[in-house]
Structures are given as structure tokens and as C-alpha cells.
Amino acid sequence: MINGNSFIKAMRCLARANGDPVAAVEIARRDYSEGPVVGLLQKTVIIDTSDLGGDAAWRASMAEFMAGVGAYDLLPRIDAISPLHTIPLRTRVLIQDEDPFALWTGEGEPVVVSGASFTETNIEPQKACGLIVATKEIVALASDAAEASLTRSLQRAVAKVTSAAAFAAAPVAGAPVSLLADAVEVSSTGDVRADMAALVAAFGGDIERAVLVMSSNTAMSLALHGALVGSAGGLGVRGGVFCGLPVVASSAVADDVVALVDAGGIAYGDGGVEVDVATQADVTVDGVMHSLWAENLVGYLARRFVAWQAAPGAIAYLSGAAWATAAAATKRTKQ
């Protein structure tokens, strides 16, 4: 069973019922018998889905769905390798700028309190929206394959918009400030070894907590030319290990950007997601207007509330890193 199915099953029943929660409960009973999906939908009869955040069962189904989102989303993928500084949204917190120190204290001597530098912050979330459109024929199917496809599509839509904004080279309107905005920028020379040495030298974070972030294309190029550019034997399109550092690779990252990230220096808050279904709206997909009602389609709109912020020195990145071209040129030279 794919993560997030309970939530998507409930949304599927609402879509089949054209948004009528009472009819959705009866559809759920017919398709899934009595169980968690029916329980979730019974609550929507008296409470709108956007107001169910305090309900334990609804939160559990949402957490299950978000676990699937994390398989595609850059920051949760980094967190799985090296923990981020995860914080609650809209709450005053302290971000540690430098590590605390401790001193040995002799018997009977006064204790010296260890010190550290902190920055006070209050993370306010931004709203990201992802839309997928499915045919009513697919929504009508209560099969595992149809529900798995719908679940994965919606999870990828939720993850893609936030991943691209987190490591964007240019500001993204309405999104939290890119983690690269105040990071140390290092201009690439095109030589992979020289670039990695310069990147590590410019990095002000904790190298033991560091993760490399790059595009899937760059990771694949390094893997193909591993013998020419260093240790890349365990690297692939989703990441791995390069030069002794764990790597997270994603198509959401620009090909010419390679970032070295101190995960513990990234404050990250995720307020979950809200999903609405529509069968009557007009939507624009790739510049073409579609009528959901006229074309027998269903629209799923996911709204996600998320925020991130980097401590000073937590990130250094290479710009203009055309490593794929450099690796190919090195190969031609050695032939």
C-alpha cells in the first residue's frame, strides 16, 4: 500500500460525490466498507476539510500522505540523511549560529557556563499550490493501481513546487527566500576537483553534517565519468555519495548549481497540506483553458504551508558549474 492512500481515498470519494460529504460517505462504505476512510469522511459532513487540522485521525492520514511527499521533496530528503533544524511554524525559536563549548571543571571550582551564539527568528509559512487533473473514469476506479497513480501524482505535484523554490538561483514570487540568496557563491572553473576544493574552502558550516545538493543531470554525468572526476561510483540520478559527501540529486535543481549544505543550520517548518477537489471549475494547463465539467475531468488542488531559513554560513554553492561538459572534455583529452 502506497503512503497516503487513506487521505487520497477520502478525496476520491468526495470527487465522485461532486463535493457532497454525505454522498461521499456512502460511496466510501460501498467501495471500502467500514474503516478509516469512512471515519474521515463522516467528519467532513459537519466540519470543512480545511478545519480538520485538530482531529487526530485526520492528522494521521495527512502525515501518511506527507511521508510520501517526502520521497520526492528536497528538504525532507536532506533531513533523512542529515537532520534539519525542524521547527513549528509561527513560533519564536532560536537558531544556533555556532556550536556551544564546554570546559573541564575541577572539584570545588566554580562551574563556567558554556556559551553559544543564537539568532532569534519567527518562521512564517508561505503557501504553495499544486494542481493535477484526472479523468472521472480514473476517479471512478477503486482499484489499487488507479489510487496509487493518483496518490503519486499529487505527492509529486506538492513536492516539485517547493523543491524548485528552495534552491532557486533567482527569487520565486510568493515563495520563502531561496536558501541560496545569502549563501556564499563560488564561481565554477569547470574543473571538478578544483571546484570541489574551492567549495569546501568557502563553506562555513559543519562539514560532518554537510550534504551536497545538485541536479539529477549533474549526478548522472559524474557517475558516467567517475574515473575522471573522483569518487562517484555510488552516485545516481537521485543521489548517493561523491567525494566522501552524501548527495541529494533532483531535477528541481538547476544543472549549473552545486550546493554544500549544513543541514543543521537550516530551519525548516512544514504545516502540512490541504486538498480540495473540483468538478465545475475552469483551469489552465500549459496555457490551454479546460472546463472540468465539459471534459468530464476532476481537479485536485493541493495547498501546502512551508517555510525555510538558513543560518549565516550554512550554505556555500557553485554557480556556472557545467560539470557534464567538463567531464566529457576531459575524456576526449585523455583519448
Side-chain angles (χ1 to χ4, degrees):
M1 177 176 170
I2 184 172
N3 277 342
N5 249 183
S6 296
F7 179 67
I8 291 302
K9 284 177 178 178
M11 293 299 103
R12 170 191 165 271
C13 293
L14 278 172
R16 287 212 60 200
N18 293 319
D20 181 349
V22 175
V25 170
E26 295 309 310
I27 292 172
R29 281 201 176 100
R30 184 193 65 199
D31 290 349
Y32 307 118
S33 301
E34 295 291 340
V37 178
V38 173
L40 290 175
L41 288 169
Q42 285 173 331
K43 294 169 184 176
T44 68
V45 174
I46 55 175
I47 305 175
D48 187 80
T49 56
S50 61
D51 297 324
L52 277 169
D55 181 78
W58 189 263
R59 290 201 311 272
S61 69
M62 186 63 63
E64 182 189 30
F65 176 81
M66 292 304 296
V69 172
Y72 308 105
D73 199 352
L74 262 175
L75 288 173
R77 287 175 60 198
I78 292 172
D79 183 59
I81 297 172
S82 183
L84 302 170
H85 184 55
T86 305
I87 62 174
L89 297 172
R90 301 185 180 92
T91 303
R92 186 172 67 95
V93 296
L94 299 177
I95 299 178
Q96 189 171 299
D97 295 332
E98 60 185 49
D99 289 334
F101 65 89
L103 300 174
W104 294 102
T105 304
E107 185 68 29
E109 295 181 3
V111 176
V112 179
V113 178
S114 62
S117 175
F118 295 92
T119 298
E120 182 180 304
T121 188
N122 189 341
I123 296 287
E124 289 293 332
Q126 302 295 325
K127 179 172 69 174
C129 296
L131 173 72
I132 67 166
V133 178
T135 65
K136 283 191 175 180
E137 289 80 2
I138 287 291
V139 173
L141 293 174
S143 68
D144 290 342
E147 290 167 0
S149 175
L150 184 62
T151 302
R152 289 192 181 98
S153 295
L154 193 54
Q155 287 170 337
R156 288 178 69 91
V158 171
K160 185 175 181 179
V161 65
T162 52
S163 293
F167 288 90
V172 176
V177 176
S178 169
L179 292 172
L180 302 183
D182 296 319
V184 178
E185 181 178 0
V186 178
S187 296
S188 172
T189 65
D191 182 281
V192 179
R193 290 187 178 90
D195 284 351
M196 281 299 298
L199 182 62
V200 172
F203 182 58
D206 186 342
I207 196 68
E208 291 187 10
R209 303 185 304 200
V211 176
L212 273 174
V213 176
M214 63 181 67
S215 75
S216 295
N217 287 334
T218 297
M220 189 64 189
S221 296
L222 292 174
L224 290 172
H225 303 286
L228 303 175
V229 298
S231 174
L235 199 58
V237 294
R238 286 183 58 83
V241 177
F242 181 63
C243 293
L245 289 164
V247 176
V248 172
S250 169
S251 59
V253 181
D255 288 343
D256 65 342
V257 168
V258 177
L260 188 56
V261 179
D262 177 357
I266 308 300
Y268 176 65
D270 190 346
V273 67
E274 296 175 357
V275 176
D276 287 333
V277 295
T279 57
Q280 305 292 326
D282 293 333
V283 299
T284 301
V285 180
D286 296 330
V288 179
M289 180 73 75
H290 296 270
S291 168
L292 299 181
W293 178 81
E295 298 180 46
N296 211 30
L297 302 173
V298 176
Y300 287 85
L301 178 65
R303 293 186 299 273
R304 186 181 183 190
F305 302 88
V306 65
W308 53 73
Q309 183 176 313
I315 300 177
Y317 74 99
L318 291 167
S319 60
W323 283 1
T325 304
T330 303
K331 182 178 181 181
R332 289 194 296 270
T333 301
K334 292 192 173 186
Q335 287 177 341

